[in-house]
Amino acid sequence: MSPDSSTSRGRWLLRRLRESRLGFALLLLVGSVASGVFWLMSLSNALLGTGGLGLLIGQGTDDVRLTLGHAYSPWPGRVVFRDLHLEIHDSAVHFDLEIPRGDLQVDLLALAERRFEAHDLQAEGAKLQMRLAPAYRGPRREARLPDLSAPKAPSGTTRPSDLWGVALGIKRLELQEVWVDDARLEGELKVQGAFDLQPLDAFELFTTEVSVSATDVWLGDRRLSERLQGKLQLEVPRTSVSGSAAPRLLEQAVVNVDLATQVKRLERLNLYLPDRVGLGGGEGELTVEGGLRNLELDEATRLSYRSPSLELRVAELSLTAPSEFVIERRTSTFSTWTLTDLAVARQQTGRAVGGIDRLELNVETRGPLHRLTIHRGDLSLRRLAIAELRAVRPSLPTALRSLEGALEGNGEAHYEGARVSAKTDVRISGLELATDRLSVSADAWFSASASASAPFDDLAFSRLNLDLRDVKLTNGPRRSGSFDAALRATEYQLAWKTLHGSGPMQLKFSDTQPLETAADFDAPDTAKSLFGLRGLDLVVQTNLSSKLQDVRIVRGKSGSARIDGRLLRRGDDARLVLLVSRGVLSVGIAAWRGDSSVVPLAGDDWLQRQLSRI
């Protein structure tokens, strides 16, 4: 067919369509659609080219910001872009996504409903930052973070209906860098999934899978681990994000993980640990396989970490040993931490001061992470020996010199919110403790119930029991015979960082000789016989720290005799005042700095004068 024939036939067909009502309507419809597509394409490219899309989304708020460096639409809804920057933040969380190049399909009708809905996102070279507001509250942590605009202060004027919703379906997103607060992942990360966010109202994360390979984990400028590889699957059902959203999102999150990495050095974790406690070394293999649902580990979850040399730093001590740490979830969650052949050294000099043959901790936990219960914990410590306890100064009294013994114990604990309660039972065998002048050997049984609230600096004991059996005291040339002793307390406060304790307690001794040996004083045998002294039963008020040991006798007796007084030690200066009475008989005993005196028929006036002098 010749071109002229084709043209003629086309003109004839067009003329027949115009003459037909149905044909004319069809021509109008085609023309309207073509015109609409033309204007829609023109409007789309105008919005993309001038930044109008970002202005629409961010209209009336700075909680959501969208900017495009360069973008165009080859057909309705399809957007090809460069330098996309999406920022969503409020007073609780900050989400920042940068994509240098990519394309996606936009639902144009959703724009009329003040929602940005897109799917089939394909992009590479992206950078993602997610930051919770607490990361801004610590200057040392904030200094390690890249620059972002600060989170918006809550004003109470923005309503969810004022904000644009954002829904995004990801077909393939290749990330080269991910920040979660001050932790950074750098390597090959591929994401596939979707999310739907209505700021200040609700968030939903549809099943999203993250594939990781050849990735390093950094904290600030220090590499924490390398060669991270595996998969991570996340899902969060629709959850309210009004108010404090982070705890609710964590509770609702469903996480499945299969990851392995090579841990480097752990020093950077010290920023998250209490003062005077730290980690060092720690190179080793870490593997995690399992899941988390409602903040509770799934069945068959297992975490394993092994290091040939892990350093624990406590006060001025450094403990170094091969370490194995395992968490497994069966009917409950079981954790095992084993350290062998620990070398105990002074941090500043590295000089060895003692050692531990083996330390093993086994813990069984139940419940979700935010309401965790330690159903049972068992601790085994084989032969602790420290020759120079001064290495932990100032956490311990300066007079302490050496410590040796073995320990077996168990306990239970419950954590919820910002409060911990616990109870424990411990046996210490072969205990040997020495100061500059005094040494003690005994077998000990310790049990306690205590609670603490954030920031967990102080322990409140509701039960504190210590039983010492077959105790022997040595004070220079003086040696006591074997005796038993017991300590009981029901309301006692302990600041564990400084070992400062205060409160009432009951002390019992099977013999009075230990007090004489400790005070370097001999009570006359006639006085013992006359006053019927047999053992000691004291209720005392204590104030004990590294620099001061103050023990006031509230109520005391020995056999049929009553005992009042006070023992005060500041450093090497020790002072003891006692008044022993039985009926009309009484005797006063004062011992200061190695000198002692005995005053027959001393009374309460003598006791008050002596107490006022110390």
Side-chain angles (χ1 to χ4, degrees):
M1 181 181 294
S2 66
D4 292 340
S5 300
S6 299
T7 302
S8 299
R9 185 174 179 82
R11 288 174 178 173
W12 174 82
L13 180 61
L14 183 60
R15 186 172 61 249
R16 291 294 303 270
L17 287 173
R18 287 174 178 172
E19 295 173 351
S20 169
R21 291 184 178 179
L22 180 60
F24 184 72
L26 182 60
L27 285 175
L28 286 177
L29 178 61
V30 172
S32 299
V33 170
S35 177
V37 169
F38 173 78
W39 285 107
L40 186 59
M41 292 290 297
S42 300
L43 179 61
S44 297
N45 282 285
L47 288 174
L48 294 172
T50 62
L53 180 61
L55 292 175
L56 282 176
I57 293 176
Q59 184 180 11
T61 180
D62 58 357
D63 287 311
V64 181
R65 300 169 187 162
L66 175 66
T67 59
L68 294 168
H70 174 69
Y72 67 94
S73 178
W75 61 82
R78 195 65 186 175
V79 177
V80 179
F81 62 85
R82 288 184 180 275
D83 299 328
L84 178 146
H85 184 198
L86 174 62
E87 206 173 359
I88 305 171
H89 69 164
D90 56 25
S91 60
V93 67
H94 194 155
F95 176 94
D96 188 282
L97 176 65
E98 297 179 12
I99 302 178
R101 56 192 174 275
D103 60 87
L104 75 165
Q105 186 72 31
V106 178
D107 186 343
L108 300 177
L109 296 178
L111 297 176
E113 300 176 0
R114 297 177 58 83
R115 281 179 60 81
F116 177 79
E117 296 186 4
H119 57 89
D120 288 343
L121 170 66
Q122 300 187 75
E124 56 186 16
K127 178 180 178 181
L128 172 64
Q129 297 187 61
M130 291 184 292
R131 191 175 305 174
L132 300 179
Y136 292 94
R137 297 174 189 158
R140 287 194 300 168
R141 292 184 64 186
E142 188 173 358
R144 292 160 38 170
L145 298 170
D147 290 335
L148 287 179
S149 57
K152 180 184 177 183
S155 62
T157 59
T158 303
R159 298 172 301 176
S161 57
D162 296 330
L163 307 177
W164 278 59
V166 178
L168 183 61
I170 303 170
K171 185 176 182 179
R172 179 183 56 84
L173 174 61
E174 296 182 5
L175 293 158
Q176 65 179 17
E177 190 173 85
V178 174
W179 287 79
V180 180
D181 281 349
D182 47 354
R184 173 167 56 99
L185 283 75
E186 190 175 82
E188 299 178 12
L189 300 101
K190 298 179 181 179
V191 181
Q192 184 177 17
F195 71 87
D196 187 341
L197 171 66
Q198 181 63 48
L200 302 181
D201 183 19
F203 173 78
E204 183 173 4
L205 179 67
F206 301 95
T207 301
T208 297
E209 185 173 288
V210 182
S211 299
V212 183
S213 60
T215 297
D216 295 341
V217 181
W218 299 74
L219 284 178
D221 58 352
R222 299 287 183 87
R223 185 165 54 185
L224 183 62
S225 74
E226 63 182 9
R227 299 195 299 275
L228 176 66
Q229 58 184 9
K231 291 185 178 181
L232 178 68
Q233 192 177 79
L234 304 169
E235 183 178 346
V236 179
R238 189 169 182 83
T239 304
S240 171
V241 293
S242 60
S244 180
R248 288 195 298 275
L249 291 173
L250 291 174
E251 288 181 24
Q252 296 296 323
V254 178
V255 182
N256 292 293
V257 61
D258 184 2
L259 295 171
T261 188
Q262 180 71 34
V263 177
K264 301 302 289 182
R265 300 185 65 82
L266 300 179
E267 279 87 349
R268 272 296 183 176
L269 295 178
N270 295 338
L271 191 62
Y272 307 94
L273 299 178
D275 294 339
R276 302 181 64 78
V277 176
L279 297 171
E283 293 189 5
E285 297 284 343
L286 171 66
T287 60
V288 185
E289 184 178 359
L292 183 72
R293 186 185 302 267
N294 297 326
L295 288 178
E296 190 166 2
L297 296 178
D298 290 342
E299 296 286 342
T301 295
R302 178 181 172 86
L303 179 149
S304 176
Y305 167 61
R306 292 177 174 84
S307 173
S309 180
L310 175 66
E311 182 184 5
L312 306 176
R313 300 166 185 168
V314 181
E316 297 182 16
L317 282 182
S318 169
L319 293 81
T320 306
S323 173
E324 180 178 1
F325 181 66
V326 177
I327 297 177
E328 291 182 295
R329 172 64 195 270
R330 299 189 287 272
T331 54
S332 300
T333 300
F334 294 88
S335 305
T336 301
W337 190 14
T338 305
L339 300 164
T340 54
D341 297 326
L342 280 88
V344 182
R346 190 183 180 95
Q347 281 195 47
Q348 294 181 343
T349 64
R351 183 165 58 88
V353 295
I356 299 174
D357 290 351
R358 181 181 176 88
L359 177 64
E360 183 173 333
L361 176 65
N362 296 289
V363 177
E364 178 187 356
T365 61
R366 297 178 180 177
L369 298 181
H370 62 307
R371 294 193 303 272
L372 190 66
T373 296
I374 297 179
H375 182 66
R376 182 177 177 83
D378 296 298
L379 175 66
S380 174
L381 187 154
R382 297 182 188 173
R383 205 190 70 79
L384 163 69
I386 299 180
E388 296 187 31
L389 277 174
R390 285 191 179 93
V392 298
R393 187 190 304 171
S395 293
L396 292 173
T398 56
L400 289 174
R401 190 175 72 244
S402 64
L403 173 68
E404 185 170 345
L407 182 148
E408 298 283 343
N410 61 74
E412 300 176 14
H414 179 72
Y415 171 79
E416 183 170 1
R419 183 175 175 81
V420 174
S421 58
K423 60 181 181 180
T424 185
D425 294 283
V426 175
R427 179 187 177 186
I428 305 173
S429 56
L431 173 65
E432 295 188 9
L433 177 66
T435 69
D436 290 335
R437 296 184 56 192
L438 190 68
S439 63
V440 182
S441 64
D443 290 329
W445 285 261
F446 174 81
S447 64
S449 297
S451 61
S453 299
F456 309 114
D457 292 334
D458 300 313
L459 298 178
F461 286 90
S462 59
R463 177 176 63 93
L464 182 62
N465 298 332
L466 176 64
D467 291 281
L468 301 175
R469 308 285 175 82
D470 195 22
V471 188
K472 296 185 177 69
L473 288 178
T474 301
N475 189 355
R478 302 174 60 93
R479 297 178 182 272
S480 75
S482 177
F483 67 95
D484 296 336
L487 178 151
R488 303 284 185 268
T490 56
E491 295 181 2
Y492 203 77
Q493 300 290 324
L494 175 66
W496 67 273
K497 290 184 179 181
T498 59
L499 291 184
H500 177 210
S502 60
M505 60 177 58
Q506 183 180 15
L507 301 172
K508 291 186 177 182
F509 297 87
S510 62
D511 195 349
T512 58
Q513 189 184 19
L515 186 61
E516 301 172 39
T517 302
D520 196 14
F521 169 78
D522 286 319
D525 292 336
T526 53
K528 294 181 184 179
S529 175
L530 183 64
F531 287 93
L533 300 182
R534 293 186 303 275
L536 287 173
D537 187 350
L538 307 175
V539 175
V540 298
Q541 183 69 34
T542 65
N543 185 11
L544 307 174
S545 68
S546 60
K547 298 181 180 180
L548 173 70
Q549 297 90 53
D550 187 1
V551 180
R552 301 171 181 264
I553 299 176
V554 178
R555 184 178 68 253
K557 65 177 182 178
S558 177
S560 56
R562 191 188 77 182
I563 299 178
D564 298 286
R566 181 182 180 188
L567 171 64
L568 179 66
R569 177 187 291 272
R570 293 188 181 94
D572 295 329
D573 183 12
R575 303 185 178 192
L576 172 68
V577 175
L578 291 178
L579 176 63
V580 183
S581 56
R582 180 186 181 188
V584 296
L585 300 176
S586 64
V587 61
I589 303 170
W592 293 356
R593 299 178 180 177
D595 296 329
S596 59
S597 60
V598 178
V599 180
L601 301 178
D604 290 337
D605 292 341
W606 174 89
L607 177 64
Q608 295 304 319
R609 287 196 305 272
Q610 298 300 317
L611 291 177
S612 66
R613 295 176 59 188
I614 64 174

